[in-house]
Amino acid sequence: MATGRGWINQQHIDQMQRLKSGPVTTSRTRQTCSSKVKQNCTKASNESSTNIGTFGNKHKHKRNLKLVKKMCVGKIAYIESLPSEILLKILSYLDPISLMCIGSVNKQFYELSKDNLIWYNIFCLRKKLRWDCISVNSLGKKLAETTFTDKQQGYWKKTYINEIIAGRENRINKILRSAKNYSASGVPANMEKAVKMSGLIWALTFKDVNGKETVIEQTDIQFRDTSLTITWNSYLWPVFTSLTTIQLHGITPVLIDKCLGPCKIGLRRLSLIVEYNLMDPRKCIGQDKHVKLLYFKPGLLLGLWKSPEIAFVMATLHYHNLLEKSFWGSPESPYTFPTHIPVLDDVDSEYGLHGYRLHIDMYSGPRTYLCRTFRGLFCRKEYIKSGYLQMTAIGIKNNKEHAPLVGKVDFLWDTLSFSGSIQNCFMMDVTLLDETDTPYWCFSSAVELCPNKFPETLYDFMGQSFNLNYKDSVGRVYAELIWMKETEEYYLINLKLYLNTEKVNSYFGTNYTDYAD
């Protein structure tokens, strides 16, 4: 060990003397050095060819060639020229993440970073730090019966990584169990804490027509009662006109230190949440003098400059099943949830028609326009029409239920350089619970207010009428609003839900059909 340290110190002293005697070797200096070496090699080969008749000169020039090449290699690749034993000793002082990173430098470091002795020590140290004496003793007895030559190179590295992955799964399961504490709105109450504990972030993968992929990680995140809003900003966006798909991935680190928190480098696991096909028909939900806002279901907003070039990207994700989607999917396919088994109720003939609870949140950024909970929603059989079950949250004739939207209703957007707002559009979160307080229909989406061509309003309301429509495979939300010019605010005077009859029958095991007069 002493001899090795002395040799390294001597090499370091020699290197420092060479640096003092001449300029620092940069990439440009290396190119000059290599060109000079090539000239010397050419000169030596020419001299050897002219003196080919002399046996001694021929061998002398060969020795000069080898010496010049050796000097060049020593200057360009000084670390790689060290013996493997010295490099292994240096690598033994690195932590697991640094070892995995240095293994991607080149083939030599990749092979050295898989050394069984190094990873065996790391593996045993992790066992000891877990204070599991029984497992350590049993592991020691098992290891005493084998030697390192019995295992192929990289065995203990794979064993360590498998242990880390198993520990990650246990840790994720604990986080999921802790997130089962539901709030009054029927969704996890401690989502922000769970995201921070797991080190979860979200990233977008842009794919163009040539198959090129561009990955951009989140730049900002905002947590609300039932959803979170993620923003991506960048100066180097891909060309929008050449894009074909956008993938949304949840990314979690495999290695998490209990004291230091999630590691920013090292192994990370990707889980595909949703893939957006940009070739599908797109919907423009609003624009101002700078930005046009495109919406892609579910929950993706794409802001475009007038160029058109990407200005920003936003995504609103509802808390319901969000952690499972972000943890357990693969990089290529989303997580598949178990099939829902309907619970039959032979006693109640109208099971699935009553006992619903609706929580609705309308907002934009830090502004909240409306946040209310409606209980005891139901549907009579005579209201099952056109394949939908109709439920009323706010009746148009009941003035006591009408609610104002607080403040100026618009969509707030922000980039690295500019910010602005788009009128008459905002975010809306809907959480519908059944009579057992189980989430039945949950979504988070951007919506727009459109002038109403066929208003259902009464003549008592003097103001311009607007409507709001949202539709997906589970149901439809319809709302009617009046713009009160005197107070300069919107009033929500009509709010109805339409649930798909086939989905209700599949979920509750019922057999409802359209009502016949």
Side-chain angles (χ1 to χ4, degrees), residues 83-139:
S84 299
E85 293 79 6
I86 302 298
L87 291 174
L88 287 174
K89 188 62 179 178
I90 296 173
L91 296 181
S92 65
Y93 292 100
L94 299 181
D95 58 274
I97 299 178
S98 300
L99 268 176
M100 295 176 189
C101 292
I102 202 171
S104 60
V105 173
N106 54 31
K107 186 176 181 180
Q108 179 186 3
F109 282 114
Y110 173 72
E111 295 297 332
L112 292 174
S113 64
K114 296 192 302 179
D115 184 70
N116 279 337
L117 179 58
I118 296 176
W119 284 101
Y120 164 71
N121 293 331
I122 294 174
F123 183 77
C124 292
L125 179 61
R126 180 176 181 272
K127 287 289 185 181
K128 292 178 181 178
L129 291 178
R130 292 173 60 188
W131 296 97
D132 193 351
C133 298
I134 299 177
S135 62
V136 172
N137 294 334
S138 60
L139 177 66

Side-chain angles (χ1 to χ4, degrees), residues 176 180 182 271-274 318-329 333-341:
L176 290 175
K180 294 300 181 183
Y182 292 108
S271 175
L272 178 63
I273 299 176
V274 63
H318 198 279
Y319 288 161
H320 180 55
N321 291 333
L322 176 59
L323 293 180
E324 289 83 353
K325 296 176 184 176
S326 303
F327 289 151
W328 301 128
S333 59
Y335 174 69
T336 303
F337 290 91
T339 305
H340 174 74
I341 301 176

